[in-house]
């Protein structure tokens, strides 16, 4: 069997996985015996806590949840915020807006601070709002806003939220495992991520790292049966790794392999270094070809980068996309409102040499650059 992919995915996520992660899915598992629950699920739960905090692992637990990442976000918000709670959402992109939409749909009393897609959250406004409104019980933000690749100032936000003693929820979907952090040091109460982002598993479940003392208060709060984080946690604790409803066994086994490979690479610090080098080479190469980044470099994460589409009337994104796909690379359309752009992810089983090959492939796919003056302008 050929386990090679026809192209690498520069689309986080799903993203490119290693052949060994994909291979780990090639057997079936029984969900109610120890081979699976103690042998696969429990080490994953423990391993995720170790990734999340080295300072106070005993204060935290991990709950795994079926579905894509958004399902876990919805489980986290719908379980953590009580009926009489009030949630402040910091939004600066599609994923921040989604947090707000989920909360409102669940009937949660919600305030949204939208700083726009190109600006970081307004920390002064956050501080003032928390000072002036003691009824706000919870604050939620996105860590890496995947819409633009903006890294939000998690430490500064955490500092303000904790000074005002509110519960702090973080959507670290596209950063956790690829960027160092310590949930205990930051005072994060709930953090959500999923299998198919920086840990480089395949899609099918998400997980929430939760402060045990806060999760214990959440019994009966959930607005949903299947997305009840508290009941899911109780099921996993009492069943020693057993999922309440059918577990995505093959995906979970692949994730266990992905966790092993993260350790083999040298842990989160080494992965962060690789992603950073990927992104540095991407931006250097793209700028040398005349492309411009949507965000200033100072606001950038190493996860995904937005570029303006070329202004030439001959340029068409789909044509460019197809040419790159033929050469073995799949890129992402843009998502920023009002800005004509595309995105390239630098996470997954993707290495600096792949990025160098990508830049060559892009230079050979710039069919809209025709005149000598245009070519000269690129130099
Ligand atoms: C990927 C992602 C999600 C979840 O998206 P799904 O498509 O549901 O997996 C949520 N937030 C952020 C910031 C993401 O990057």
């Amino acid at each position: 069997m050929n386990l090679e992919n026809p192209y690498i995915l520069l689309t986080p996520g799903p993203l490119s996985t290693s052949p060994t992660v994909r291979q780990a899915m090639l057997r079936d598992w029984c969900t109610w015996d120890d081979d699976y629950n103690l042998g696969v699920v429990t080490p994953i739960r423990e391993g995720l806590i170790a990734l999340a905090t080295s300072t106070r692992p005993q204060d935290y637990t991990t709950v795994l949840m079926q579905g894509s990442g958004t399902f876990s976000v919805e489980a986290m918000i719908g379980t953590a915020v009580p009926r009489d709670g009030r949630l402040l959402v910091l939004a600066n992109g599609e994923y921040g807006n989604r947090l707000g939409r989920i909360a409102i749909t669940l009937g949660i009393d919600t305030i949204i601070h939208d700083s726009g897609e190109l600006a970081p959250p307004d920390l002064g406004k956050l501080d003032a709002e928390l000072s002036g409104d003691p009824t706000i019980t919870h604050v939620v933000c996105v860590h890496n806003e995947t819409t633009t690749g903006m890294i939000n100032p998690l430490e500064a936000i955490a500092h303000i939220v904790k000074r005002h003693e509110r519960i702090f929820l973080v959507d670290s979907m596209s950063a956790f495992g690829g960027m160092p952090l310590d949930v205990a040091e930051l005072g994060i109460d709930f953090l959500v991520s999923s299998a198919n982002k920086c840990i480089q598993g395949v899609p099918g479940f998400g997980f929430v790292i939760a402060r045990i003392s806060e999760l214990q208060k959440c019994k009966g709060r959930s607005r949903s049966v299947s997305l009840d984080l508290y009941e899911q946690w109780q099921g996993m604790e009492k069943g020693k790794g057993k999922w309440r409803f059918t577990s995505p066994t093959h995906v979970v086994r692949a994730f266990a392999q992905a966790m092993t490979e993260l350790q083999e690479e040298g842990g989160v610090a080494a992965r962060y270094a690789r992603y950073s080098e990927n992104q540095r080479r991407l931006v250097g190469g793209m700028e040398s070809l005349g492309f411009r980044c949507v965000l200033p470099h100072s606001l950038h994460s190493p996860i995904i980068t937005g570029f303006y589409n070329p202004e030439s009337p001959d340029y068409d994104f789909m044509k460019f996309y197809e040419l790159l796909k033929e050469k073995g690379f799949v890129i992402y359309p843009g998502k920023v409102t009002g800005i004509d752009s595309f995105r390239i992810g630098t996470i997954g089983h993707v290495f600096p040499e792949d990025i160098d090959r990508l830049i060559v492939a892009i230079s050979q796919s710039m069919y809209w650059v025709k005149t000598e003056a245009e070519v000269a302008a690129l130099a």
Side-chain angles (χ1 to χ4, degrees):
M1 188 174 40
N2 180 12
L3 284 171
E4 283 307 308
N5 282 317
Y7 37 74
I8 57 176
L9 300 176
L10 301 170
T11 57
L15 38 63
S16 283
T17 55
S18 70
T20 32
V21 163
R22 280 174 269 133
Q23 216 155 14
M25 291 186 282
L26 296 179
R27 66 157 277 194
D28 304 320
W29 295 83
C30 168
T31 54
W32 52 273
D33 79 13
D34 289 350
D35 292 350
Y36 181 68
N37 293 323
L38 288 181
V40 181
V41 180
T42 301
I44 286 175
R45 293 184 65 214
E46 288 166 357
L48 287 172
I49 293 171
L51 291 184
T53 173
S54 59
T55 56
R56 295 201 62 81
Q58 67 276 21
D59 292 354
Y60 288 86
T61 188
T62 313
V63 191
L64 312 178
M65 180 61 81
Q66 295 92 332
S68 84
T70 305
F71 292 63
S72 286
V73 173
E74 191 149 351
M76 172 179 78
I77 292 176
T79 308
V81 185
R83 305 287 151 150
D84 57 355
R86 185 161 214 220
L87 177 68
L88 172 61
V89 178
L90 299 176
N92 54 354
E94 162 65 18
Y95 295 98
N97 291 336
R98 190 180 297 177
L99 298 173
R101 206 157 64 241
I102 286 171
I104 289 166
T105 303
L106 292 172
I108 292 169
D109 184 5
T110 305
I111 306 166
I112 298 173
H113 281 192
D114 185 352
S115 52
E117 289 161 313
L118 301 181
D122 184 337
L123 299 177
K125 189 174 165 195
L126 170 66
D127 195 18
E129 186 90 38
L130 294 180
S131 297
D133 185 349
T135 68
I136 296 169
T137 51
H138 294 63
V139 177
V140 65
C141 74
V142 175
H143 185 187
N144 173 69
E145 182 43 86
T146 320
T147 312
T148 51
M150 191 186 301
I151 185 72
N152 281 322
L154 197 57
E155 236 180 280
I157 296 168
H159 189 73
I160 295 168
V161 174
K162 289 291 123 176
R163 191 154 44 75
H164 291 285
E165 298 181 348
R166 312 301 162 87
I167 306 296
F168 189 28
L169 284 56
V170 178
D171 170 356
S172 184
M173 201 69 66
S174 60
F176 185 77
M179 299 187 74
L181 107 179
D182 190 307
V183 287
E185 276 180 358
L186 292 171
I188 294 170
D189 298 290
F190 297 88
L191 175 143
V192 60
S193 185
S194 75
N196 61 285
K197 300 269 168 110
C198 298
I199 297 176
Q200 300 183 184
V202 301
F205 74 95
F207 54 86
V208 177
I209 313 278
R211 188 190 298 280
I212 294 169
S213 58
E214 286 305 324
L215 188 54
Q216 275 165 342
K217 297 176 191 164
C218 295
K219 186 179 168 70
R221 280 187 187 172
S222 176
R223 286 89 175 156
S224 159
V225 172
S226 55
L227 298 178
D228 187 333
L229 206 62
Y230 178 88
E231 290 302 333
Q232 186 90 342
W233 175 52
Q234 287 298 300
M236 282 189 174
E237 288 292 314
K238 289 176 187 150
K240 298 187 169 46
K242 185 147 182 5
W243 297 54
R244 259 185 326 157
F245 308 125
T246 301
S247 146
T249 45
H250 302 73
V251 172
V252 173
R253 179 61 191 85
F255 189 77
Q257 176 62 24
M259 291 279 284
T260 301
E261 293 179 15
L262 173 57
Q263 289 316 316
E264 286 168 358
E265 183 171 355
V268 177
R271 186 152 292 181
Y272 178 61
R274 171 164 62 88
Y275 290 169
S276 298
E277 180 61 16
N278 285 350
Q279 204 255 350
R280 199 185 63 74
R281 290 198 197 188
L282 174 71
V283 170
M286 292 297 278
E287 288 182 340
S288 76
L289 293 175
F291 289 92
R292 285 185 306 123
C293 296
V294 170
L295 283 187
H297 295 176
S298 61
L299 296 178
H300 240 295
S301 71
I303 309 296
I304 187 169
T305 306
F307 297 96
Y308 286 95
N309 276 319
E311 277 172 22
S312 163
D314 297 328
Y315 173 83
D316 170 53
F317 174 76
M318 277 322 290
K319 184 166 173 195
F320 181 45
Y321 173 93
E322 290 296 341
L323 285 172
L324 286 176
K325 188 171 153 191
E326 279 167 24
K327 294 182 172 73
F329 302 94
V330 165
I331 64 171
Y332 230 17
K335 225 177 195 178
V336 180
T337 326
I339 293 186
D340 194 13
S341 62
F342 64 93
R343 292 176 297 166
I344 299 181
T346 35
I347 64 176
H349 193 65
V350 173
F351 299 85
E353 311 77 67
D354 296 317
I355 301 298
D356 294 343
R357 290 192 302 111
L358 168 74
I359 297 298
V360 173
I362 288 178
S363 73
Q364 293 167 344
S365 306
M366 296 171 67
Y367 64 89
W368 61 92
V369 177
K370 291 199 182 81
T371 68
E372 274 177 36
E374 283 171 329
V375 174
L378 295 179

